[in-house]
Amino acid sequence: NFAAGDLGAMPATLAVLFTVSTLGLSWWAGLAIGLAAAIGLGVVIEIVIVRRFTRSPRLVLSVATIGLAQVLAAGALLLPRWFTLPGGTPPSPFDLDVTIAPITFGGADIVAVVVIPLVFVGLALFLTRSNVGIAVRAGAERADRAATLGIPMRRLNTVVWVLATVLAFLAVYLRAGIVG
């Protein structure tokens, strides 16, 4: 998947625009909007684009994701045209500064330090302990065998693309809060 990073760029750009535009939503509202957009984008991409290449060689899908990356990057670049931007940086999730001389960490830094390990642990638990996660791993190893055992591969592909989009969104959104 060559569009992995760009999957999160569009929802993160949308979320940041809602916080820095004249709408002035909070960081948390931007997070909720971005998560909803990421879930929707992941579902749409999997159903509209990826499913068309189910029976194609993997190279064809890989090339399609290169084109998808270009479309998503263009979408992220065009989104600011729909908003009135007075200028400024994304808001902080909360007002807390921790100084470890000589560096001062703000609320966005602290949220990233807490959220990233929690997401890693959650993903590991999902893939090893849940029925869906185990089915995803089985389908990744041998999709044809998993399908003959009754595992709904189409549904699992949708779950995987939504997970990829949500994880990419979180990475870009958390980074935007730190670097602006």
Side-chain angles (χ1 to χ4, degrees):
N1 179 4
F2 289 101
D6 294 304
L7 286 172
M10 227 169 123
T13 300
L14 180 68
V16 169
L17 286 170
F18 271 108
T19 63
V20 299
S21 70
T22 54
L23 296 172
L25 297 180
S26 71
W27 188 92
W28 298 102
L31 177 68
I33 289 169
L35 280 174
I39 291 168
L41 181 65
V43 168
V44 167
I45 286 173
E46 200 282 325
I47 290 172
V48 173
I49 297 170
V50 175
R51 280 194 186 171
R52 295 182 186 274
F53 299 103
T54 302
R55 305 248 186 259
S56 301
R58 287 288 159 208
L59 180 61
V60 173
L61 179 58
S62 297
V63 172
T65 62
I66 294 171
L68 179 62
Q70 298 303 308
V71 169
L72 292 172
L77 289 172
L78 294 174
L79 273 175
R81 295 178 183 208
W82 296 356
F83 292 85
T84 304
L85 301 172
T89 60
S92 182
F94 49 84
D95 293 327
L96 176 67
D97 291 330
V98 175
T99 302
I100 301 173
I103 302 169
T104 300
F105 299 96
D109 300 307
I110 295 167
V111 167
V113 165
V114 170
V115 167
I116 291 169
L118 289 176
V119 169
F120 281 149
V121 169
L123 185 61
L125 289 174
F126 171 75
L127 290 173
T128 59
R129 307 287 175 157
S130 73
N131 290 336
V132 175
I134 292 168
V136 166
R137 290 178 30 226
E141 192 165 320
R142 283 200 52 202
D144 56 338
R145 173 81 171 119
T148 60
L149 292 173
I151 295 174
M153 290 308 298
R154 281 187 167 189
R155 217 174 306 151
L156 287 180
N157 283 339
T158 304
V159 168
V160 169
W161 277 87
V162 167
L163 276 174
T165 307
V166 167
L167 292 173
F169 159 73
L170 283 173
V172 176
Y173 191 66
L174 290 174
R175 185 175 188 277
I178 295 169
V179 299

